[in-house]
Amino acid sequence: MLVKVEMAGVCGTDVHYYRGMEKALPYPIILGHEFSVRIEEMGKTPYRLEPHGEDLEIGDRVALFNTVPCGECYFCRFTTKRGLCQNFFTWGITAKCKDPPYLYGGWAEYMYVDQPKAWMYKVPKDMSAKLNTLVEPMTTATRAVERAFAPGGPAYSEGFGPAKSVLIQGAGAIGTLAAAAAKISGAREIMMVAGEARRLSIAKKFGVDETIDMKEIRNPEERIKMVKERFSVTQGPDVVVEATGVPAAVPEGLAMVRPGGSYVEVGHFVDAGEVGINPFLLCSKDITLFGSYGYSEYDYDTAIHLLYKNRHRFPFEELITHEFPIEQAEKAILAAEQGVALKAIILP
Amino acid sequence: MLVKVEMAGVCGTDVHYYRGMEKALPYPIILGHEFSVRIEEMGKTPYRLEPHGEDLEIGDRVALFNTVPCGECYFCRFTTKRGLCQNFFTWGITAKCKDPPYLYGGWAEYMYVDQPKAWMYKVPKDMSAKLNTLVEPMTTATRAVERAFAPGGPAYSEGFGPAKSVLIQGAGAIGTLAAAAAKISGAREIMMVAGEARRLSIAKKFGVDETIDMKEIRNPEERIKMVKERFSVTQGPDVVVEATGVPAAVPEGLAMVRPGGSYVEVGHFVDAGEVGINPFLLCSKDITLFGSYGYSEYDYDTAIHLLYKNRHRFPFEELITHEFPIEQAEKAILAAEQGVALKAIILP
Amino acid sequence: MLVKVEMAGVCGTDVHYYRGMEKALPYPIILGHEFSVRIEEMGKTPYRLEPHGEDLEIGDRVALFNTVPCGECYFCRFTTKRGLCQNFFTWGITAKCKDPPYLYGGWAEYMYVDQPKAWMYKVPKDMSAKLNTLVEPMTTATRAVERAFAPGGPAYSEGFGPAKSVLIQGAGAIGTLAAAAAKISGAREIMMVAGEARRLSIAKKFGVDETIDMKEIRNPEERIKMVKERFSVTQGPDVVVEATGVPAAVPEGLAMVRPGGSYVEVGHFVDAGEVGINPFLLCSKDITLFGSYGYSEYDYDTAIHLLYKNRHRFPFEELITHEFPIEQAEKAILAAEQGVALKAIILP
Amino acid sequence: MLVKVEMAGVCGTDVHYYRGMEKALPYPIILGHEFSVRIEEMGKTPYRLEPHGEDLEIGDRVALFNTVPCGECYFCRFTTKRGLCQNFFTWGITAKCKDPPYLYGGWAEYMYVDQPKAWMYKVPKDMSAKLNTLVEPMTTATRAVERAFAPGGPAYSEGFGPAKSVLIQGAGAIGTLAAAAAKISGAREIMMVAGEARRLSIAKKFGVDETIDMKEIRNPEERIKMVKERFSVTQGPDVVVEATGVPAAVPEGLAMVRPGGSYVEVGHFVDAGEVGINPFLLCSKDITLFGSYGYSEYDYDTAIHLLYKNRHRFPFEELITHEFPIEQAEKAILAAEQGVALKAIILP
């Protein structure tokens, strides 16, 4: 199958890859793993490519799951965590563009979908290309929140659940979408801590009730004190989600979460080095910490629905602050790298 | 402490008690276990009566947790299910009104709160008496939905979670509030099956997307077929909540829930007899069934917040369809018994 | 690949199939879905047939996962419950033996393994053929116990966990293996209720501490009373596992389980009709009921290890009470049907 | 009530307290929070002191739950984690011995039990004083393992469950008891990493299958490599339990646990400072980390039963390597401090 790319997002990892910092990649590659595509040529798909069994036709806008797990390694076969697959294919990341059929990245006019185990969701007709492009980051954000559901009983204050309080570290696309996902799932109140006033004001449209601007409150100890005072009965929010990718955020967030609370680490998709953490904090607060890396095919389904069903409740498309024609892809990368763009997209 | 009752709801169990069908009760009693009260006299409260440590003052509107578990039985001490306490006190249910201080029921002008282990939540100033009266049924409804959270991982389609589909059996107060609780918690779509067109149309204001009117589709097999066709890919909704109290609803609902789905049985607070169920259905569909009986003190907290934070999203007060002065309490009971009232309240 | 069958068990469903009671089967078929096999011819296996990546060689004794889920339906793709697959292949059940290559059942000298998605575990060299034949029923039994793990927190008396009490209904192979699985997983005490003194005495070698013989205590109400008295503090065992396949066992077991406890329904693999159940019991006891049907590929792994690592602790091979040469397969079926054999095997 | 102390253990925190490192304590105090006691005088106990309702008599050996949570703070009322209580009383830790009735510590002949909310378990008659003294550390160890149960589904490789692999860091009393608790709960195999050959050899009697002696393999990177090679398919054990209290153990253990695995941090009961941890490791391995601090009343129940029921399977009493008369309490502290004693006890 051949698909036509409508638009493709720029992810923080794209900047990382562009700078050549991920040595394992088979450069040269065509970047772009967040995208909205339409079917251009059908080809043959013996497998049920659309997981719900929907008919696919030329011209259909689809959410192509951007990864094809190998299906054979331990993690594919024994766990539900496909993000841990040891031998996955990902459009825009793992495919060399020197070898035929060359086109496996989203920053291009077309891509081939010839992997026999691919998944491709037909999205509702009135789901825009921009919303569709946000499916991938929304999947990351939603899974991060869902990780905190895992232990079960919201009623007796384990993990996330309706009426739980949440603090998000970071006002980027993932942090803001995590706020929306938590609000959609019934969060009582959401606080965000980040360093950019403009982004914090956008976040308020996505369910964030209160913000702490790190540019104003520069001392971490002071921020921690503010949070503890704000949640004075529980001594912190029930759940903290780290979505900055900055190591120093982790000990700060662990100090903020309430005793017995849950901490989700979803920001460190790339290695940014060590940070000093006190194990006594982890133990004595009886914290549950969830790493959240990648996602599984079925997580896309949740994200598509949360975006689509709540498209009138939250202005998701406003997250896309910058658009570049493909000739200016480098500008798009710079806009992401310098934090100018909340989410930049490339139009092929 | 003495509290002044602002209003008190009529519950289905009140009808049951009024008819003398619960032999274990220490008649005569003053009925009324759903209520909004204000503090009239402080008395002494050595214990932290308000669980969040809020100061209580005369005139404060409070949500008095209507039960005082004994704290000594196995269920109080080893489990999180206070609804299973073997020796509980409940205003309006377990207290004889022939013995001093007599006033322990909500269908009265005043009630005594002299139980040393009582919990009493100070509610926000702009939370109305009607909303406060709905805290008790909302607690039942919310806990029912939360029961289905228990097994964990929403991502891999266990139990309830964001983007899951829900079917509610019954359009009474519990069923309608369960719909709202599920919607607040991120349900993808909610279907309701019930026998009264008027109630179904009210339910549509509480997050219900589609309805099946049992008066129109009289054959259970046909209703089951409709539900399966509606959820054709999954062969049924992810979660079904039984909130009718009619035994025949159970096998029908078990046939409707998707294989691998969850069934919540919250409707049968009183014994309505047996019904034929096929164990093969339970086994071969790998169903998880959750009974949900009563609630714990802390469940009130969740309900208060879900009601208050969503009071502009859902018209909760419209659930209260009938008001009676206390002199007409019997009329209120009849209105509940005959299904005329969705929720009747009594004004002392 | 061609495998040589060493021995194959007779399951209760085999009797059912033999009597033609499962209309959906593509008769004629070669029965036999519990088996120990050795590799006879390798053939080509492009896929990693052995999920742990172990090298396979001619002569190796392997545990062939007896089912190949389709991998394409909703249940294969979105859930972890492969037992719900809508289009599975199972050796000994779903394959017509009139079509080439004919040999797809365990009651035969050889079987073909040519399904591209098959899983086959290399078992330890000193794991006997009998133990290997018990992998399939042990998988059913283990998953049944694991279902009750699901809600999480053993510490606060939810579900099964170390130091929990268990009652098993039924002393067949599944019930006895479920007792062993529960004991291996740390059960405090295990009671078994069944109708055959001989089987109950065997069960005592598999972790069962106490028994109730239904032939002696013929009145269900009396048995319920005995159980409640035995577990007088909790008013019943924490977990009850139904492994009889007799509908009447279900209401009896639901009456036995403690309030707030868990009930596992694993006995009704075939339709044995309805039974009267009181929904009030399900609701007012706040029961969690788990249907347990089939198993997933990875469940085999657990069962293999529990059997192998505990082979000196429990005399698993004694469960195989009868052996028949393949010419006497009909006798084997009768031995199972009449309850003479706890587990009969067929030697090709 | 007055109880006679039979013997009392020396905990690592006792050394810490003795050295005056915990500034919050109300020195002078009588140390000793692990103990076996007998009832000496009954006094009056209006409350059901024995949670199962067993009759208590003078002379009974009991497991006195060593802490009395306040029952009023947020953590006591809204969560199941009594170890987080903000205002608890603990024998041997929080009570000044200058004030009447003075005797609230285990390193003494008698202790008073006059707290109205105390819990005291009557232990089986043939449960020895030594076994009873081990109830407290066993509670810590068991809860640590149970924390990893929390996320649910053992079948799809989340958290701990039957047939999971476990690695314990540390061969002290907690680490060794955690090994026993994991084995009792069905662990597939248990590896232990510690620095003392003698303790490692004792641990092998408690379910540990393999050991790595840090004195022999001095380089952490080499140890990590050994563990990964040992668990080559899964790339590490399913669960790692940190029971050393040494900060450097944490990054080492996080590197050892398999991707998607669970890490339990139970060793850092006292503040031993920071250590460099890479958040990328937490995120990219999708780790679930559980802090485990203190325990709840009901956790004692589990520990009592695991010790008692398995007293012939594991030689628990051998963990008590040193005994000192109370006059030599200081020697006992030194024996613990210098690591000479695995578990020292004091005989009053």
Side-chain angles (χ1 to χ4, degrees), chain C:
Chain C
M1 181 186 280
L2 186 72
V3 296
K4 185 168 173 46
V5 180
E6 298 187 295
M7 55 183 64
V10 181
C11 175
T13 53
D14 287 321
V15 177
H16 189 75
Y17 300 151
Y18 179 75
R19 294 295 178 206
M21 292 163 78
E22 182 59 75
K23 302 301 177 197
L25 296 199
Y27 297 102
I29 58 177
I30 299 175
L31 286 170
H33 58 274
E34 308 173 358
F35 32 65
S36 179
V37 303
R38 284 188 185 273
I39 298 175
E40 178 83 9
E41 281 179 21
M42 285 303 291
K44 60 171 183 198
T45 56
Y47 180 69
R48 194 166 106 180
L49 183 62
E50 213 287 344
H52 293 300
E54 297 284 331
D55 286 333
L56 295 174
E57 288 169 35
I58 287 174
D60 282 346
R61 176 172 292 149
V62 294
L64 168 65
F65 181 67
N66 69 359
T67 298
V68 183
C70 75
E72 303 203 7
C73 72
Y74 169 78
F75 301 95
C76 281
R77 294 171 91 170
F78 286 84
T79 83
T80 61
K81 300 179 167 185
R82 300 307 188 87
L84 298 177
C85 171
Q86 300 297 300
N87 195 31
F88 59 92
F89 170 92
T90 301
W91 280 272
I93 296 182
T94 63
K96 205 182 196 73
C97 66
K98 268 173 89 176
D99 303 329
Y102 314 110
L103 299 175
Y104 283 134
W107 298 2
E109 288 173 278
Y110 295 96
M111 291 196 303
Y112 278 99
V113 180
D114 49 4
Q115 289 69 16
K117 293 176 192 162
W119 291 41
M120 178 185 276
Y121 295 83
K122 186 165 179 169
V123 300
K125 284 216 181 300
D126 56 344
M127 180 157 172
S128 71
K130 282 190 175 176
L131 214 54
N132 195 23
T133 303
L134 289 169
V135 166
E136 198 272 352
M138 185 63 169
T139 302
T140 297
T142 304
R143 184 177 184 275
V145 174
E146 288 196 337
R147 280 285 277 148
F149 273 78
Y156 32 94
S157 289
E158 282 288 314
F160 179 78
K164 294 300 171 222
S165 54
V166 177
L167 183 147
I168 314 267
Q169 297 180 285
I174 300 297
T176 306
L177 289 170
K183 197 75 174 186
I184 290 169
S185 304
R188 174 185 299 203
E189 53 201 331
I190 301 178
M191 182 179 267
M192 185 175 274
V193 181
E196 300 181 29
R198 195 175 49 87
R199 289 187 177 190
L200 286 171
S201 76
I202 293 174
K204 289 204 168 179
K205 300 181 188 176
F206 288 84
V208 171
D209 300 296
E210 287 181 59
T211 59
I212 294 180
D213 187 335
M214 295 168 73
K215 291 261 171 59
E216 288 177 16
I217 318 292
R218 293 187 166 272
N219 184 342
E221 289 308 318
E222 200 177 332
R223 293 194 294 265
I224 292 166
K225 191 158 158 275
M226 283 176 70
V227 170
K228 283 186 188 291
E229 283 172 4
R230 174 61 190 75
F231 296 92
S232 60
V233 176
T234 57
Q235 296 181 31
D238 294 306
V239 178
V240 172
V241 179
E242 192 285 299
T244 67
V246 178
V250 178
E252 180 173 335
L254 289 170
M256 285 171 171
V257 71
R258 76 160 170 83
S262 297
Y263 190 81
V264 182
E265 167 46 56
V266 68
H268 283 77
F269 269 59
V270 300
D271 189 338
E274 291 187 355
V275 64
I277 292 178
N278 192 332
F280 175 63
L281 203 67
L282 297 167
C283 178
S284 67
K285 289 180 80 166
D286 214 271
I287 284 172
T288 306
L289 183 155
F290 299 100
S292 186
Y293 187 73
Y295 33 68
S296 298
E297 299 91 319
Y298 38 83
D299 293 321
Y300 253 51
D301 200 46
T302 299
I304 291 169
H305 277 82
L306 294 195
L307 284 174
Y308 180 70
K309 294 274 178 178
N310 294 282
R311 68 194 187 284
H312 302 309
R313 190 174 174 198
F314 299 116
F316 293 115
E317 300 185 3
E318 290 186 22
L319 290 175
I320 298 174
T321 53
H322 292 68
E323 304 181 18
F324 298 90
I326 196 163
E327 296 76 20
Q328 302 181 14
E330 201 155 7
K331 276 196 183 171
I333 289 175
L334 289 176
E337 191 170 31
Q338 296 161 359
V340 177
L342 183 45
K343 172 61 72 186
I345 56 167
I346 289 173
L347 299 164

Side-chain angles (χ1 to χ4, degrees), chain D residues 196-271:
Chain D
E196 300 181 30
R198 194 176 49 87
R199 290 188 176 190
L200 286 172
S201 76
I202 292 174
K204 289 203 168 179
K205 301 180 188 175
F206 288 85
V208 170
D209 300 295
E210 287 182 59
T211 59
I212 294 180
D213 186 336
M214 295 169 73
K215 290 262 170 58
E216 287 176 18
I217 318 292
R218 294 188 164 272
N219 184 341
E221 288 308 319
E222 200 176 332
R223 293 193 293 266
I224 292 166
K225 190 158 160 276
M226 283 176 71
V227 170
K228 283 185 188 291
E229 283 172 5
R230 174 62 189 73
F231 297 92
S232 59
V233 176
T234 57
Q235 297 181 31
D238 294 307
V239 178
V240 172
V241 179
E242 193 286 296
T244 67
V246 178
V250 179
E252 180 173 334
L254 289 170
M256 285 170 171
V257 72
R258 75 159 171 83
S262 297
Y263 190 81
V264 182
E265 166 46 55
V266 68
H268 283 77
F269 269 61
V270 299
D271 189 338

Side-chain angles (χ1 to χ4, degrees), chain A residues 162-220:
Chain A
K164 294 301 172 221
S165 55
V166 177
L167 183 147
I168 313 268
Q169 298 180 285
I174 299 298
T176 306
L177 288 170
K183 198 73 174 187
I184 290 169
S185 305
R188 173 185 299 204
E189 53 201 332
I190 301 178
M191 182 179 266
M192 185 176 272
V193 180
E196 300 182 29
R198 193 174 50 87
R199 290 188 176 191
L200 286 172
S201 76
I202 292 174
K204 290 202 168 180
K205 300 180 188 176
F206 288 85
V208 171
D209 300 295
E210 287 182 61
T211 59
I212 294 180
D213 186 336
M214 295 168 73
K215 291 261 170 57
E216 287 176 17
I217 318 293
R218 293 188 165 272
N219 184 340

Side-chain angles (χ1 to χ4, degrees), chain D residues 6 36 61 123-133 317:
Chain D
E6 298 186 296
S36 178
R61 176 172 292 150
V123 302
K125 286 219 178 301
D126 55 344
M127 180 157 172
S128 71
K130 284 190 174 175
L131 213 55
N132 195 22
T133 302
E317 300 185 3

Side-chain angles (χ1 to χ4, degrees), chain A residues 11-31:
Chain A
C11 174
T13 52
D14 287 322
V15 178
H16 189 75
Y17 300 151
Y18 179 75
R19 294 298 178 204
M21 292 162 77
E22 182 57 73
K23 302 302 178 199
L25 295 199
Y27 296 103
I29 58 177
I30 300 175
L31 287 170

Side-chain angles (χ1 to χ4, degrees), chain B residues 33-47:
Chain B
H33 59 274
E34 308 173 358
F35 32 66
S36 178
V37 302
R38 283 187 185 274
I39 298 174
E40 179 82 10
E41 280 178 22
M42 285 303 291
K44 59 171 185 199
T45 55
Y47 181 68

